[in-house]
Amino acid sequence: MGIERHLNDTVHVTNLEWFVNWARKSSMWPLGFGLACCALEMIATFVSRYDLSRFGMEVARPSPRHADLMIVSGTASKKMLPAILRIYEQMAEPRWVIAMGACACTGGIYKNYAVVQGIDRWLPVDVYIPGCPPRPEALLDGILQLHAKVMKEQSIHNPRVTNIKVAGR
């Protein structure tokens, strides 16, 4: 358009969709859902050494109504699954899910009736972080991948549909 030349870098011009995506990725509020040993690595990511505050997500929200990112870290048992689904339903829209660790991604070493064999069978997972347990650097890399994914979303024309998969409905 050329209007930027006349404004001498005092005003930045962009489209609304880019700005909405940038605001969403820059102010994600995570809901830490630590279920097992991966939770310790997730907690370590929040300390000053790794400094999640530089991504605008320094405080893990205790309430799902304040959060838009669920980090499922660790082994999800079938007994715990209704609570996970209820918390996910209470989160603000749009919402994202990171599956952290081999147990959250695939059930890990637990091949039995009591363990969920991958949280993606129940929740729409955006980023998978493999490892047993993955280090904080892996979670940081997963968060950066999620930020890149959010920046590519067409949030205005195609809003996210994040329905959960509930058996029997």
Side-chain angles (χ1 to χ4, degrees):
M1 294 194 296
I3 194 169
E4 296 91 358
R5 283 184 296 150
H6 301 293
L7 298 174
N8 296 329
D9 291 331
T10 57
V11 175
H12 294 277
V13 178
T14 186
N15 60 25
L16 180 61
E17 193 159 83
W18 184 92
F19 183 74
V20 168
N21 288 341
W22 175 82
R24 286 180 175 165
K25 85 151 181 90
S26 301
S27 62
M28 282 189 174
W29 289 0
L31 173 79
F33 206 85
L35 297 169
C37 49
C38 290
L40 297 176
E41 299 294 332
M42 180 183 67
I43 292 167
T45 310
F46 285 91
V47 299
S48 59
R49 180 174 181 175
Y50 298 101
D51 195 18
L52 266 179
S53 62
R54 60 190 157 145
F55 302 115
M57 41 196 319
E58 65 264 21
V59 178
R61 299 294 163 175
S63 169
R65 291 178 184 88
H66 299 161
D68 55 3
L69 169 63
M70 177 183 267
I71 302 173
V72 180
S73 58
T75 310
S77 66
K78 290 194 177 168
K79 189 174 184 179
M80 194 66 186
L81 190 60
I84 295 171
L85 297 178
R86 186 174 336 119
I87 289 172
Y88 179 77
E89 286 178 342
Q90 293 174 349
M91 289 172 55
E93 288 276 356
R95 51 194 170 199
W96 297 274
V97 176
I98 292 178
M100 179 179 178
C103 295
C105 294
T106 64
I109 60 172
Y110 305 106
K111 304 291 183 205
N112 61 38
Y113 66 92
V115 174
V116 174
Q117 301 298 308
I119 198 67
D120 61 345
R121 294 182 182 192
W122 300 93
L123 296 176
V125 174
D126 296 294
V127 174
Y128 297 91
I129 302 172
C132 184
R135 295 211 16 98
E137 292 90 351
L139 179 57
L140 288 175
D141 184 55
I143 288 170
L144 292 177
Q145 288 181 20
L146 182 62
H147 284 176
K149 186 175 183 177
V150 169
M151 287 303 292
K152 292 178 184 173
E153 288 185 354
Q154 296 180 347
S155 57
I156 296 173
H157 300 296
N158 297 324
R160 285 177 62 92
V161 177
T162 56
N163 295 330
I164 59 173
K165 303 170 190 171
V166 177
R169 283 193 194 176

